[in-house]
């Protein structure tokens, strides 16, 4: 780590290292998402750098950890992300049906309507998608997804996507991994495990998912949510000032939010047949995102407001030289000289949040607390 940040860095509180806290809302576990922030980190940063009723912006909202903690703490939120899966999850966590009974009623309606929808021609579904499912399960799942998409039902859509792939019986796919989709047909060959390749009925699995989601009660006040939308930071436009920005920008070079969510992405938006190819110009992307953030997000921050950035370390097979926070910080102050560095917090990321089979992943994150003069 280079000089300015290294000199300022303080170690994160030990409780950030613990795997999960009983104080975490169960909604955080609604569905998996790579590079997710720990709720306790979001909670403590929001408590320290924002006040009740203040407006908090998260323009890289991912699975919605910061927005959910913000509304629980009585802040108002604006949340944006480019990824449709991220936006679906954020909306689902912020606007769930208030009770299990209501969620079940909605489920029954959507299932009945989805059964009336026309069946898909098998050849219209890409091969790589068909490899993951029994044909009948795939028909049910697709038509249910369409019903939720047509009626703008992010909560049931998120529930569906959360059980889309895994090897456990409560999931819809053939045996595969959970976070990033890989078939596990070599570990579980069809001849030895025929039950894992049988049709998997949708309704009982969604009902079980809802029971798990509503194990604890939760109360989200709807007027706390100002806007959640699929907008990239380059196109961000707000109609008001914000009191704080609390966000974690994309971990360039370590995680790929599109490729790693490819199966869920395809169910949400089928205009791209295959989401597997990895984008190339990551460093350039990263700089462009930082510049757009300075231009389009920081300008809405009120004077004296805090900007809290959780920045993942760039990890590659080669030696890591500087932390990306260094580059990002330098770029931000060039574009926005009125920004003052107040604190730097250094946090180690436990192995459990590593995502790739190859083992390449984010290792250490720095939290920069900046203030607009
Ligand atoms: C580190 S993740 C955020 C994780 C989030 N804090 C959570 O707890 O789930 C970064 C997010 O930035 C999003 N992203 C990438 N490029 C973006 C852009 N240009 N504009 C807005 N969001 C972008 C990714 O889709 C990803 O969800």
């Amino acid at each position: 780590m280079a000089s300015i940040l290294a000199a300022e860095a303080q170690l994160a509180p030990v409780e950030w290292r613990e795997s999960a806290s009983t104080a975490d809302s169960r909604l955080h576990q609604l569905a998996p998402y790579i590079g997710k922030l720990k709720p306790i980190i979001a909670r403590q940063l929001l408590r320290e750098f924002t006040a009740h009723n203040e407006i908090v912006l998260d323009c890289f909202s991912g699975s919605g950890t910061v927005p959910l903690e913000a509304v629980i703490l009585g802040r108002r939120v604006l949340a944006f992300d480019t990824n449709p899966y991220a936006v679906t999850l954020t909306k689902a966590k912020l606007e769930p049906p208030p009770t299990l009974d209501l969620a079940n009623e909605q489920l029954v309606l959507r299932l009945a309507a989805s059964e009336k929808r026309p069946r898909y021609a098998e050849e219209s579904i890409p091969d790589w998608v068909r490899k993951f499912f029994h044909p009948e399960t795939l028909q049910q799942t697709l038509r249910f997804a369409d019903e939720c998409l047509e009626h703008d039902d992010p909560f049931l859509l998120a529930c569906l996507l959360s059980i889309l792939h895994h090897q456990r019986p409560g999931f819809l796919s053939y045996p595969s991994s959970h976070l990033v989709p890989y078939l596990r047909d070599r570990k579980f060959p069809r001849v030895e495990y025929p039950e894992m390749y049988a049709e998997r009925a949708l309704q009982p699995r969604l009902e079980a998912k809802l029971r798990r989601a509503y194990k604890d009660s939760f109360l989200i006040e709807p007027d706390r949510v100002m806007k959640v939308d699929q907008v990239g930071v380059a196109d961000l436009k707000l109609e008001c000032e914000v009191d704080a920005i609390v966000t974690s920008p994309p971990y360039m070079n370590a995680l790929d939010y599109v490729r790693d969510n490819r199966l869920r992405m395809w169910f949400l938006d089928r205009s791209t047949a295959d989401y597997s190819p990895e984008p190339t110009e990551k460093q350039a992307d990263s700089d462009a995102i930082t510049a757009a953030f300075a231009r389009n997000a920081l300008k809405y921050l009120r004077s004296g407001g805090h900007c809290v950035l959780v920045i993942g370390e760039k990890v590659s097979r080669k030696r890591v030289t500087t932390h990306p926070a260094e580059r990002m910080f330098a770029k931000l102050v060039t574009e926005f000289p009125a920004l003052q560095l107040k604190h730097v917090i250094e946090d180690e990321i436990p192995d459990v949040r590593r995502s790739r089979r190859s083992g390449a992943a984010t290792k250490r994150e720095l939290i920069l607390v900046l203030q607009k003069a």
Side-chain angles (χ1 to χ4, degrees):
M1 209 196 315
S3 55
I4 313 173
L5 302 183
E8 298 278 336
Q10 63 191 73
L11 276 186
V14 280
E15 62 267 26
W16 288 14
R17 308 260 162 85
E18 285 157 20
S19 54
S21 156
T22 47
D24 295 349
S25 164
R26 191 171 274 270
L27 278 174
H28 283 297
Q29 296 164 30
L30 193 63
Y33 196 78
I34 54 166
K36 214 166 145 170
L37 193 61
K38 277 184 174 183
I40 190 172
I41 301 182
R43 187 154 63 241
Q44 293 197 356
L45 293 171
L46 285 161
R47 274 203 182 123
E48 194 161 343
F49 299 107
T50 69
H52 187 77
N53 218 28
E54 281 193 341
I55 301 178
V56 177
L57 166 67
D58 183 354
C59 46
F60 305 105
S61 74
S63 62
T65 314
V66 171
L68 177 58
E69 282 301 319
V71 295
I72 291 172
L73 291 172
R75 279 62 168 158
R76 289 174 289 159
V77 293
L78 292 158
F80 304 94
D81 200 291
T82 39
N83 187 311
Y85 177 46
V87 176
T88 302
L89 281 185
T90 303
K91 285 185 174 169
K93 289 178 186 178
L94 297 181
E95 294 160 339
T99 63
L100 175 59
D101 285 347
L102 285 171
N104 269 321
E105 268 174 37
Q106 208 161 303
L107 174 63
V108 169
L109 280 176
R110 298 256 181 269
L111 280 168
S114 68
E115 277 160 24
K116 293 192 187 123
R117 297 182 83 96
R119 290 175 71 83
Y120 276 82
E122 291 226 343
E123 12 5 301
S124 69
I125 306 171
D127 273 357
W128 72 273
V129 175
R130 277 195 271 165
K131 280 190 183 141
F132 278 89
F133 301 95
H134 183 283
E136 193 47 43
T137 310
L138 183 53
Q139 287 288 340
Q140 287 181 24
T141 306
L142 267 174
R143 289 184 295 162
F144 184 79
D146 287 346
E147 193 59 28
C148 293
L149 284 167
E150 195 174 301
H151 295 278
D152 193 16
D153 188 340
F155 185 75
L156 285 180
L157 201 49
C159 289
L160 179 79
L161 297 175
S162 79
I163 59 167
L164 198 61
H165 52 87
H166 196 7
Q167 66 228 21
R168 294 208 194 121
F171 289 73
L172 295 164
S173 69
Y174 292 150
S176 41
S177 46
H178 188 30
L179 197 57
V180 178
Y182 293 104
L183 271 173
R184 292 214 163 125
D185 46 356
R186 267 188 287 178
K187 187 167 177 199
F188 301 104
R190 199 181 271 259
V191 281
E192 280 175 51
Y193 300 90
E195 73 287 356
M196 291 179 113
Y197 295 84
E199 182 189 337
R200 298 189 178 207
L202 187 57
Q203 181 159 1
R205 288 175 172 80
L206 278 172
E207 285 169 352
K209 170 71 201 176
L210 289 184
R211 283 195 298 275
R212 291 197 294 277
Y214 284 83
K215 236 177 177 168
D216 303 333
S217 59
F218 40 76
L219 187 66
I220 306 284
E221 294 173 46
D223 61 349
R224 305 266 132 212
V225 182
M226 295 175 70
K227 192 160 189 177
V228 181
D229 208 351
Q230 188 182 336
V231 176
V233 72
D235 302 310
L236 190 70
K237 284 192 185 69
L238 302 182
E239 282 157 18
C240 60
E241 258 192 354
V242 302
D243 297 296
I245 300 174
V246 181
T247 195
S248 45
Y251 299 152
M252 288 305 168
N253 270 12
L255 303 175
D256 189 311
Y257 302 93
V258 172
R259 201 196 70 153
D260 289 354
N261 288 311
R262 55 192 170 271
L263 201 49
R264 299 182 184 103
M265 291 284 294
W266 184 82
F267 273 82
L268 289 172
D269 180 357
R270 287 161 231 161
S271 57
T272 299
D274 189 352
Y275 287 93
S276 300
E278 216 165 338
T280 44
E281 302 282 328
K282 287 196 167 176
Q283 185 65 68
D285 279 359
S286 188
D287 287 345
I289 287 175
T290 308
F293 176 79
R295 250 188 349 261
N296 300 344
L298 285 175
K299 76 168 176 201
Y300 294 107
L301 183 62
R302 70 162 164 82
S303 298
H306 286 103
C307 167
V308 183
L309 297 174
V310 182
I311 304 170
E313 185 179 34
K314 169 179 150 185
V315 173
S316 69
R317 299 207 171 277
K318 293 174 220 143
R319 260 193 62 193
V320 175
T321 46
T322 54
H323 194 284
E326 203 66 54
R327 193 177 170 103
M328 192 175 284
F329 175 63
K331 212 164 168 49
L332 286 179
V333 286
T334 315
E335 305 249 353
F336 221 99
L339 219 50
Q340 292 170 352
L341 181 65
K342 290 288 171 184
H343 311 276
V344 181
I345 306 165
E346 199 180 330
D347 185 32
E348 299 249 334
I349 301 174
D351 281 347
V352 72
R353 283 171 63 198
R354 301 202 175 175
S355 65
R356 290 283 182 83
R357 279 205 305 195
S358 64
T362 316
K363 249 183 19 196
R364 194 168 44 108
E365 59 200 1
L366 284 187
I367 294 152
L368 305 189
V369 181
L370 308 158
Q371 193 173 28
K372 199 163 169 183

